[in-house]
Amino acid sequence: MMKTVDFDRLVEKITDKVMERLAIMEPNHKIKVLGNNQELISSDFFIGFQKMQQASSSSAVIITELSFENLVNCMQFQPVNDFEKEIIESIKAGKELLVIKEGRTYLSLLTSGKYALKQKIQELEYEFYRYGGKFISLSELKQPAFASHNSLENKTFTHKKYLTVKDILENKLDAQATIEISKETVLTDYAKEYVREKEIKIIQANEK
């Protein structure tokens, strides 16, 4: 026969699970998931991230799938379907937009496409970033700390001949970080603009 204490614990556990499911189903929650690959988002991550967002005044949109056409249409503010309309409305509303890197259906273009096309994609992704978008991997999604900014972090790029925005974003460097480069390292125009906007400090190796 089940003891009263064990029964109470069971009821409490079931209640917690029910409340978690209700939180996900709640239409007014601060997180919205868009795209056809929503199975990429685990319920554990969703619940944890939602709890984190409840302490924030901002809303977030997680985009699980994004095509090259979606990216182009959204950056031109010329949506051709409801999915793109929702992304644009989220941009206009100032919401945080998280695009799962593995959900980008144009990844093959970045590896096998012409140089001009690769450059165009990088420009569009940077423009998307400036509108509040972020590209994040599934492995990062599993880490609750991914939503926090790595401010005041130092990173060395002395081995690179060219430093791009992609390099900075992949290392999750944000406002007031410090980047160390060599005398030979050249910042691309977009990298210079990003560094200026984020007030990232650039130092040369011999200035330490």
Side-chain angles (χ1 to χ4, degrees):
M1 187 173 181
M2 184 178 289
K3 295 181 180 180
T4 303
V5 175
D6 293 336
F7 180 76
D8 289 342
R9 287 176 179 172
L10 179 60
V11 171
E12 184 178 350
K13 190 172 182 179
I14 293 174
T15 301
D16 288 342
K17 289 295 182 183
V18 170
M19 293 305 293
E20 287 176 352
R21 296 307 301 171
L22 287 174
I24 292 178
M25 296 167 62
E26 171 61 48
N28 293 321
H29 60 59
K30 294 183 178 181
I31 303 174
K32 189 159 194 175
V33 181
L34 301 177
N36 295 324
N37 288 337
Q38 297 193 14
E39 67 275 4
L40 293 175
I41 308 297
S42 68
S43 59
D44 289 339
F45 159 77
F46 192 87
I47 292 169
F49 186 59
Q50 183 165 318
K51 288 178 179 178
M52 188 165 55
Q53 285 296 108
Q54 286 173 351
S56 171
S57 59
S58 63
S59 298
V61 175
I62 300 175
I63 301 171
T64 62
E65 185 176 21
L66 190 71
S67 70
F68 177 67
E69 290 76 14
N70 293 149
L71 183 62
V72 172
N73 294 338
C74 289
M75 291 304 93
Q76 292 180 344
F77 283 77
Q78 295 179 352
V80 298
N81 53 47
D82 291 338
F83 173 67
E84 293 172 0
K85 287 179 182 177
E86 199 144 13
I87 292 177
I88 291 174
E89 288 304 315
S90 297
I91 291 174
K92 290 163 66 176
K95 295 180 180 180
E96 183 178 18
L97 297 165
L98 303 176
V99 178
I100 296 180
K101 290 180 179 179
E102 292 84 348
R104 295 174 295 171
T105 62
Y106 54 85
L107 285 176
S108 61
L109 298 177
L110 288 170
T111 56
S112 60
K114 298 290 186 180
Y115 174 76
L117 182 57
K118 295 178 185 178
Q119 189 175 40
K120 183 63 178 179
I121 291 174
Q122 290 178 352
E123 291 174 359
L124 289 169
E125 287 189 342
Y126 177 62
E127 189 174 354
F128 184 80
Y129 165 79
R130 295 191 66 187
Y131 282 121
K134 295 180 182 178
F135 294 89
I136 187 167
S137 67
L138 288 172
S139 60
E140 291 174 293
L141 279 176
K142 296 176 182 177
Q143 302 173 13
F146 84 89
S148 63
H149 296 296
N150 293 322
S151 58
L152 305 181
E153 185 176 340
N154 298 334
K155 187 67 180 180
T156 300
F157 291 100
T158 52
H159 63 290
K160 293 190 72 70
K161 185 174 181 180
Y162 294 99
L163 184 63
T164 68
V165 171
K166 183 181 178 183
D167 296 323
I168 299 173
L169 294 178
E170 284 182 346
N171 285 276
K172 296 178 285 185
L173 297 173
D174 214 317
Q176 299 179 12
T178 298
I179 293 176
E180 181 183 352
I181 61 175
S182 69
K183 288 183 178 180
E184 291 75 29
T185 304
V186 177
L187 272 71
T188 64
D189 291 339
Y190 285 118
K192 290 178 182 177
E193 187 177 351
Y194 180 88
V195 165
R196 198 162 46 242
E197 285 182 354
K198 292 296 182 180
E199 298 181 356
I200 293 175
K201 184 179 180 182
I202 301 291
I203 62 172
Q204 290 189 352
N206 61 356
E207 292 180 353
K208 296 178 67 176

